[in-house]
Amino acid sequence: MDRFGRVATDLRVSLTDRCNLRCTYCMPAEGLDWLRDDRVLTDAEIVRLIAIAVDLLGVDEIRFTGGEPLLRKGLEGIVAATTALRTADGRSPQTALTTNGLGLARRSAGLAAAGLGRVNVSLDTLRRDRFLTITHRDRLEDVLAGASAASAAGLGPIKINAVLLRGINDDEAPDLLRWALGAGYQLRFIEQMPLDAQGAWDRSVMITAEEILDKLGREFELRPHDTDARGAAPAETWRVTDGEHSGVVGIIASVTRPFCGTCDRARLTADGQIRDCLFATAETDLRQMLRDGATDEQLADVWRAAMWGKRAGHGMDDPGFLRPSRPMSAIGG
Ligand code: SAM
Ligand code: SF4
């Protein structure tokens, strides 16, 4: 719990800072200085910290992310160990994976067998040339195959995360939505945030939720969905139909419609740091404690203290706002 009464029951675990794509809004084409192997938590260390979160801190939802979490060979084992845990009310924690989809076609069955709940696949365009421009890799077909395999393996409802970039794919919102409705996926647009490693984000250029709604509203009828039941969900959602298929579309408007007041998230980085917010400027190191022989109770106490200090909001509009010193790929998106 923090000073404002928010309880962090949703833990985002970054399994690696590495990635096999180079999305322009996330990292430079040449990649980044990746964490040294000895700084990255082992599978056993990750599982121990997740167990502390579930057993001692009330966490009941775990999302695996990165970097690209499918680059982690032990992912299936980590998922299986997580789903074997029990929350205070005796349930298996809910689990989800956020991935760029590369290699997902091959691993979906194994992930489902390990007990994984749901998958979010990130995809910003359905056009091969644009996919190459945005990610610097020619892998659109692999992503589509990954989403489809995950759906077939029962890892749905599949959510598709899309970031719109002005002049690159911002005319594609209706096409992405028609495709998602037809495939039975739930599309969610994410406002571009100042979390790229290059520091290139520009508020005056980013595509806002209002603009996305306007683009969609010209071709679809949108009806607010679940407004009372939104809870801590980052996405605002609308029911939508294209005449043939109906479904739900969401917008995660972290910049223009922040939802910090209901945030229930905590983050564990691949190198064992607790972050109370994507935009936190400080981290709490659990890795050294873990390797120095701390008990579960000692680790839980330090983790509790870290969350207590969470600020009321990300403060992006404050004059003194500082971008976090690590990019999204290292924090865990
Ligand atoms: N590699 C995985 C993927 O792409 O799904 C997981 C990590 S990625 C950092 C998680 C999500 O963050 C993706 O949906 C991605 O589009 C989004 N993302 C990355 N950089 C972003 C930024 N600057 N603003 C908004 N969303 C961003
Ligand atoms: Fe990799 Fe995900 Fe960042 Fe794209 S958004 S570069 S897939 S970590």
Side-chain angles (χ1 to χ4, degrees), residues 18-19 21 23 25-27 64-69 98-101 120-124 161-163 190-196 201 328-329 332-333:
R18 293 170 193 250
C19 193
L21 293 184
C23 306
Y25 49 78
C26 184
M27 60 173 79
F64 299 103
T65 180
E68 177 43 47
T98 299
T99 171
N100 63 25
N120 286 11
V121 177
S122 301
L123 179 64
D124 310 317
N161 290 348
V163 177
I190 308 180
E191 280 184 343
Q192 191 185 356
M193 296 179 269
L195 287 169
D196 55 307
W201 179 85
M328 178 88 131
S329 55

Side-chain angles (χ1 to χ4, degrees), residues 5-311:
R6 295 168 298 187
V7 181
T9 53
D10 177 348
L11 178 63
R12 311 276 161 125
V13 181
S14 173
L15 296 178
T16 176
D17 62 330
R18 293 170 193 250
C19 193
N20 40 14
L21 293 184
R22 297 286 183 270
C23 306
T24 50
Y25 49 78
C26 184
M27 60 173 79
E30 64 276 17
L32 296 165
D33 288 334
W34 312 121
L35 287 167
R36 267 188 6 223
D37 285 351
D38 62 331
R39 294 190 173 245
V40 176
L41 297 180
T42 63
D43 292 1
E45 288 172 332
I46 290 173
V47 169
R48 180 168 171 213
L49 290 177
I50 293 174
I52 291 172
V54 173
D55 294 343
L56 302 177
L57 299 172
V59 165
D60 59 12
E61 195 174 342
I62 315 281
R63 173 173 298 279
F64 299 103
T65 180
E68 177 43 47
L70 288 176
L71 292 179
R72 184 104 193 189
K73 289 195 181 65
L75 173 63
E76 289 79 354
I78 294 171
V79 170
T82 301
T83 54
L85 298 169
R86 288 294 170 265
T87 61
D89 55 7
R91 289 181 304 110
S92 187
Q94 287 183 43
T95 51
L97 176 73
T98 299
T99 171
N100 63 25
L102 300 187
L104 185 57
R106 230 175 338 103
R107 292 176 71 181
S108 285
L111 287 165
L116 181 68
R118 290 184 298 100
V119 170
N120 286 11
V121 177
S122 301
L123 179 64
D124 310 317
T125 177
L126 296 166
R127 303 200 199 168
R128 189 172 164 193
D129 56 330
R130 290 183 175 184
F131 189 91
L132 179 61
T133 303
I134 295 172
T135 69
H136 293 101
R137 302 285 187 273
D138 189 10
R139 305 288 300 270
L140 173 62
E141 288 303 323
D142 298 287
V143 180
L144 297 174
S148 161
S151 181
L155 296 172
I158 305 293
K159 292 183 182 168
I160 303 291
N161 290 348
V163 177
L164 294 180
L165 304 169
R166 195 170 303 283
I168 297 178
N169 65 340
D170 57 328
D171 59 350
E172 226 179 309
D175 286 349
L176 280 163
L177 181 51
R178 251 184 297 277
W179 165 77
L181 289 173
Y185 304 152
Q186 192 184 122
L187 178 65
R188 297 146 20 120
F189 293 99
I190 308 180
E191 280 184 343
Q192 191 185 356
M193 296 179 269
L195 287 169
D196 55 307
Q198 315 88 300
W201 179 85
D202 180 346
R203 181 188 286 270
S204 65
V205 174
M206 63 161 283
I207 308 281
T208 63
E210 198 182 338
E211 220 177 317
I212 298 168
L213 279 175
D214 181 54
K215 287 174 193 296
L216 296 177
R218 285 187 220 151
E219 299 192 34
F220 299 90
E221 191 189 333
L222 302 171
R223 278 175 294 122
H225 173 64
D226 264 358
T227 32
D228 299 333
R230 182 173 172 194
E236 229 180 306
T237 51
W238 288 264
R239 280 215 75 81
V240 61
T241 175
D242 65 357
E244 204 177 333
H245 310 97
S246 59
V248 172
V249 61
I251 302 184
I252 300 178
S254 320
V255 179
T256 62
R257 302 181 186 182
F259 36 85
C260 305
T262 55
C263 178
D264 66 352
R265 286 169 284 285
R267 292 185 147 80
L268 174 64
T269 65
D271 57 346
Q273 313 295 306
I274 294 297
R275 296 181 68 96
D276 57 27
C277 174
L278 258 181
F279 295 94
T281 46
E283 303 180 337
T284 300
D285 182 19
L286 295 187
R287 184 192 62 216
Q288 198 55 47
M289 284 184 70
L290 195 76
R291 293 183 180 173
D292 286 346
T295 64
D296 287 359
E297 286 296 347
Q298 286 168 331
L299 287 159
D301 281 343
V302 169
W303 194 331
R304 276 189 200 96
M307 294 310 297
W308 187 251
K310 179 165 168 145
R311 290 175 306 170

